[in-house]
Amino acid sequence: MARKIVITSGKGGVGKTSVSANLGYKLAMLGRRVCIADLDFGLNNLDVVTGVEHLVLYDIVDSIEGKCRVKQALVQSPQCKNLYILPSAHSFSKSIVTTDSVSELIDGLSESFDYVLIDCPAGVGGGFHRAVAASDEAFIVTTSQISSLRDADKVLGILRGYNLKRIALVVNMVRGDLVADKVMASPERIEDILKTEVIGVIPEDDNVLLLNAGELPPESEANKAFKTLAINVDKNKNKIYKYMANYTGVLGSIRRGLKRNL
């Protein structure tokens, strides 16, 4: 049976879908069978981020409504045979797409995969509760911004009311130079503030914005950080990517100065 992990956030714009897509890709590259399910109805774009939008024939709503089998709605990634995407829809009927129907579908998927990652809509509305109810674990994506941390704290409070096996944080868009200059809160500080373990740190990297999941350059910081995150998840480790490696010491101080003046 698969580990069912919901990837959620308190607010939009923190990179939740990018984290879902790249974590799924890296887990698949470790040899695990992975399905990423898009439960962000209406604002769905997981198919775009994973580069399979041109391959979509059916979606999750079609499956729930009985128009197709769930296996027919799955799209295999052209880049990795172990990775499958379950696309969402722009519209749906609330009377059919219920907490029970979504949970039943996800449970059915879990028999065929090692991981089912659930891309959850931002906020704490009905879509959030449908996604969390179908999951066993939750990863909250946050940034160092005060507004993001405040919203993440609210989400944490709600998640603790569910019977989840694990709740952890992924701190995204970290600027090592700003952390070194004590302008940005460090992931370690965020872990202390939110009293929740940080399972991954993803540095700010333009490649994440410009490229689909699976296309990150091997030597890019984001690629290395997502690989570390996937190993942490799969092997139950807590190694944190060295996001400040380029900004310490004499050379690091010079790099920080140059970046401030850009």
Side-chain angles (χ1 to χ4, degrees):
M1 297 292 285
R3 288 174 60 182
K4 297 175 290 184
I5 305 173
V6 63
I7 314 294
T8 185
S9 66
K11 67 190 295 290
V14 298
K16 170 180 53 60
T17 298
S18 293
V19 169
S20 300
N22 282 285
L23 173 58
Y25 179 80
K26 289 301 182 185
L27 286 170
M29 291 302 291
L30 291 176
R32 308 296 180 252
R33 283 180 58 82
V34 180
C35 173
I36 314 176
D38 190 350
L39 293 191
D40 194 353
F41 300 107
L43 296 176
N44 52 304
N45 59 9
L46 179 65
D47 57 332
V48 176
V49 175
T50 52
V52 301
E53 69 275 13
H54 61 294
L55 300 175
V56 175
L57 295 177
Y58 297 104
D59 56 49
I60 188 172
V61 174
D62 292 327
S63 180
I64 291 174
E65 291 180 341
K67 295 178 181 178
C68 71
R69 290 172 293 154
V70 65
K71 289 185 178 180
Q72 291 178 289
L74 292 174
V75 180
Q76 187 177 31
S77 169
Q79 298 171 316
C80 182
K81 66 178 182 179
N82 289 333
L83 179 63
Y84 290 80
I85 312 303
L86 179 59
S88 188
H90 294 297
S91 62
F92 68 102
S93 170
K94 292 183 180 179
S95 63
I96 296 176
V97 181
T98 64
T99 298
D100 288 341
S101 64
V102 169
S103 294
E104 183 179 353
L105 183 144
I106 297 298
D107 284 342
L109 280 173
S110 70
E111 298 176 1
S112 302
F113 292 94
D114 298 307
Y115 289 92
V116 176
L117 304 183
I118 301 172
D119 187 20
C120 176
V124 291
F128 166 85
H129 290 283
R130 281 193 297 267
V132 176
S135 309
D136 297 323
E137 305 173 55
F139 296 162
I140 303 174
V141 181
T142 185
T143 68
S144 297
Q145 290 183 317
I146 296 298
S147 59
S148 180
L149 294 177
R150 179 179 292 178
D151 288 343
D153 190 44
K154 293 175 183 177
V155 170
L156 278 166
I158 297 173
L159 288 176
R160 288 174 181 133
Y162 281 86
N163 188 29
L164 297 173
K165 296 177 182 177
R166 186 183 196 183
I167 301 173
L169 299 171
V170 176
V171 185
N172 197 23
M173 304 179 191
V174 175
R175 286 272 303 271
D177 59 319
L178 296 183
V179 173
D181 286 336
K182 303 188 184 306
V183 175
M184 174 180 282
S186 69
E188 293 82 1
R189 176 58 179 154
I190 291 172
E191 185 175 68
D192 183 57
I193 292 171
L194 297 179
K195 297 179 172 57
T196 303
E197 69 166 326
V198 171
I199 194 173
V201 174
I202 311 299
E204 186 178 74
D205 189 330
D206 289 344
N207 288 297
V208 177
L209 299 175
L210 299 174
L211 302 172
N212 291 330
E215 297 178 350
L216 297 176
E219 295 306 312
S220 67
E221 281 203 280
N223 185 68
K224 295 176 183 178
F226 278 119
K227 183 177 181 180
T228 300
L229 171 60
I231 292 172
N232 283 346
V233 173
D234 192 56
K235 305 297 184 183
N236 196 29
K237 296 184 177 181
N238 60 356
K239 181 180 179 181
I240 299 302
Y241 178 73
K242 296 179 179 179
Y243 60 92
M244 286 179 57
N246 292 328
Y247 300 105
T248 57
V250 176
L251 289 178
S253 178
I254 294 173
R255 291 191 188 99
R256 298 202 306 271
L258 290 173
K259 200 156 188 176
R260 279 196 302 270
N261 294 323
L262 288 178

